[in-house]
Amino acid sequence: MNWLSRKLHEILFILRFHDWQSKTAFFLVAIGYSMSQHSVPIADNLMAASSLFLLLCLYAASGYSLNQYFDRGVDKACGKHRDIGDFPIATARITIIVLLVIAFLFSLHFLFSGKFYVWILYWASIAAALAYSMPPLRLKERGYFGWISASLAQRVLPFVVIFEYFDVWTWISAGLCLLALMTGLRYIIVHQLEDYAADLKVGVETVATRIGPQQLRQFLFRYIVPLEIIYLVTLAIYMSLDNGVLLGGFTLFGLTLVAAFSNKRAGHETPELDLEKYEFLWGLYCIYWPVAMGFSLLMNDIAYFPFLIFVLLWASRWIKHDLQRLMRGFLLMTQQLKGE
């Protein structure tokens, strides 16, 4: 039993579930929007959404596991703890191969349902993830090509897969793909800034090590973040014009930012306000927007209740924490106002 427990622990770590769970939550926004525009029986919509989301989870697990596998030597050299190199490499190889085989078998669903282009796009996503970290291409170390491949693999191509699968291409679906590109670029820049010291130590060449963290921060703060915020607000207003539920979700997220400012004034750590952290805008993309999309579908038809329940369960471990932070912030704000 101890051996089995240890192997299970190794496999779960290799799969990196907690690393990619939050990333896939944003996919639920695209899936929810696609179902709202897809004129088929709701039961068919839910079945399609379930199978597609499972495939996207298999894709995310494959991408993160492969990246960790090919980076194991670098991670070990720079002293990262609990990387994949701490486990028998045979376990990692077998786990990744099994994962890819399962993903391939499930992806045949695209072919059987006549979605050949979706099948191509799905495996193009995995190819982009491989190209980012696997030698000899290893686009991670080829300047801006690394940014492009990471953004495509982690954000843009999965969104394209979703909209192509449901055959829902509107101005909003195209706009969500563009937003995915912006968030993907910001995430990879933040990632390279966080890894700057370790990459410099072991000789990994990225944009950050090439131009320096200060110049990269300036690029992030002057261009990437402002463009994302302006575009996000524009898209949110456009989507909310005929959808009050989404407006409520965006408004609630805005209140969390107000609470965060109160926490910051009280001296608490507020990574959600730090432009150089993954947590910036994370709550909107992974909690409030997907949940609002679930409630929006439910308002249109009670049969979408399973989708809402799934979104709530998927985001449950973050919702509780975020609500606690929200209440603490407003309590502090009330105390600050009384003090003044």
Side-chain angles (χ1 to χ4, degrees), residues 64-191:
Y64 275 82
S65 300
L66 286 165
N67 181 66
Q68 184 177 228
Y69 176 79
F70 290 115
D71 275 352
R72 67 191 186 281
V74 173
D75 290 342
K76 200 83 168 179
C78 66
K80 285 188 178 179
H81 298 293
R82 297 189 68 227
D83 69 284
I84 202 171
D86 292 336
F87 302 128
I89 201 63
T91 302
R93 287 173 180 165
I94 292 171
T95 301
I96 293 172
I97 290 172
V98 170
L99 189 62
L100 288 172
V101 169
I102 293 173
F104 175 77
L105 293 175
F106 274 92
S107 72
L108 293 177
H109 161 74
F110 294 138
L111 298 180
F112 295 149
S113 58
K115 303 285 186 178
F116 175 73
Y117 290 112
V118 179
W119 187 81
I120 293 294
L121 287 166
Y122 181 80
W123 285 97
S125 302
I126 293 181
L130 275 171
Y132 177 75
S133 55
M134 184 179 72
L137 280 178
R138 196 161 170 78
L139 296 180
K140 175 180 183 177
E141 297 187 59
R142 297 184 185 275
Y144 298 106
F145 287 109
W147 288 10
I148 295 170
S149 63
S151 300
L152 288 175
Q154 293 184 2
R155 299 292 192 284
V156 182
L157 285 174
F159 271 67
V160 173
V161 165
I162 292 168
F163 295 128
E164 184 66 24
Y165 181 74
F166 283 99
D167 194 20
V168 172
W169 284 106
T170 65
W171 284 110
I172 289 178
S173 54
L176 286 170
C177 288
L178 181 56
L179 180 62
L181 175 62
M182 292 181 177
T183 60
L185 287 172
R186 175 167 59 83
Y187 265 63
I188 191 59
I189 291 173
V190 169
H191 176 72

Side-chain angles (χ1 to χ4, degrees), residues 6 100 316:
R6 187 175 68 255
L100 288 172
S316 58

Side-chain angles (χ1 to χ4, degrees), residues 16-26 53 60 64 286 313-318:
R16 294 179 64 179
F17 173 72
H18 291 298
D19 287 330
W20 55 258
Q21 183 188 10
S22 62
K23 310 300 187 301
T24 55
F26 193 25
F53 190 70
Y64 275 82
C286 299
L313 289 174
W314 194 254
S316 58
R317 71 188 183 95
W318 313 307

Side-chain angles (χ1 to χ4, degrees), residues 26 29 232 236 249-250 253 281-290:
F26 193 25
V29 172
L232 171 62
F250 295 135
F253 174 71
L281 294 178
W282 175 87
L284 175 63
Y285 294 141
C286 299
I287 302 177
Y288 296 96
W289 203 343

